[in-house]
Amino acid sequence: MKLSLVLIIYRSKSSIAEESSIFCANLLKKRNIKSHIIASDFKQTQLKKYFCNLESLPEVVIVLGGDGTVLKSANALVHFDIPLLSFNIGGNLGFLTQEKNFLYDQSFIDILEKEEFKIDFRKRLHCIVYNQKNENKKILKTFDALNDFYFKSVE
C-alpha cells in the first residue's frame, strides 16, 4: 500500500493518546507520509471541514485509544471506504485494537507498505426506533452500530 496521507484520530481528553498521535505523525513524517490529527470528540463540523478540504482520501485511519474510540471512529467514517488501524493507548483491554507496542516499535508502517496484513471486514447493524399508535407508525430515531445495541427502558 502506497501511503501518502494518513488520518490520525486520538481519544480526546487523553494526554497519552494525544502524545501518541504526535509520535505517530512524526514517524510518518520521517517517511515522507503526510498526516492529519483529529481529537475524537467527533463534532460533525470538524470532520466535514477536514474531508471537504482534501484532494484525496487518506489511505488509512490510525485510531489511538480504546474500543470506544474505535467505535466512534467507525461510526463517524461509515460513508468513507477507508480501513482503520487501531492501537490500544492508555486502556487495559481492547478487543478491536492492537497493542501499543506495535505502534511504538514502528513496524506497522512497514507492514502497511508491504501489504502484509489482512483487513477484517465487520458487519454493521442498523436500528430503527418506531412510535406506533394505532395504525400510524412514526420513525423516532435511527442508529448504526459496529458491534451491538442495547435497549434501556425510559419508564
Side-chain angles (χ1 to χ4, degrees):
M1 170 185 293
K2 172 73 174 117
L3 293 176
S4 59
L5 179 60
V6 174
L7 174 59
I8 302 167
I9 299 175
Y10 71 91
R11 181 176 163 229
S12 62
K13 300 178 184 171
S14 167
S15 59
I16 296 169
E18 184 175 11
E19 290 169 15
S20 297
S21 70
I22 295 166
F23 173 83
C24 187
N26 288 334
L27 285 179
L28 294 166
K29 186 176 181 178
K30 288 179 186 177
R31 302 251 188 137
N32 294 319
I33 301 168
K34 293 180 185 176
S35 64
H36 295 278
I37 299 172
I38 295 177
S40 66
D41 60 359
F42 297 113
K43 295 177 182 168
Q44 290 297 331
T45 55
Q46 185 181 18
L47 283 174
K48 284 180 184 177
K49 181 180 175 184
Y50 172 75
F51 282 106
C52 286
N53 292 327
L54 288 179
E55 292 179 17
S56 62
L57 292 176
E59 289 81 24
V60 69
V61 175
I62 296 175
V63 181
L64 306 173
D67 285 351
T69 308
V70 174
L71 293 170
K72 286 179 188 177
S73 298
N75 283 336
L77 301 171
V78 69
H79 299 293
F80 301 96
D81 189 22
I82 307 170
L84 304 180
L85 173 60
S86 56
F87 295 99
N88 189 356
I89 303 295
N92 297 323
L93 182 63
F95 294 101
L96 302 172
T97 57
Q98 302 292 320
E99 290 293 323
K100 61 184 167 192
N101 295 338
F102 187 51
L103 170 70
Y104 295 126
D105 75 8
Q106 306 174 28
S107 63
F108 76 94
I109 298 174
D110 291 329
I111 290 169
L112 287 173
E113 288 182 329
K114 293 177 183 177
E115 296 187 19
E116 296 174 343
F117 58 87
K118 178 183 170 196
I119 294 178
D120 184 14
F121 293 95
R122 298 191 179 250
K123 300 282 186 194
R124 296 190 56 81
L125 303 170
H126 183 71
C127 175
I128 303 172
V129 179
Y130 294 97
N131 179 7
Q132 187 168 356
K133 293 183 179 177
N134 302 327
E135 302 284 323
N136 301 326
K137 191 189 288 190
K138 180 182 175 187
I139 296 176
L140 295 178
K141 212 164 196 187
T142 62
F143 301 93
D144 290 300
L146 186 60
N147 59 349
D148 64 5
F149 288 105
Y150 76 92
F151 296 94
K152 181 177 163 183
S153 175
V154 291
E155 294 178 22

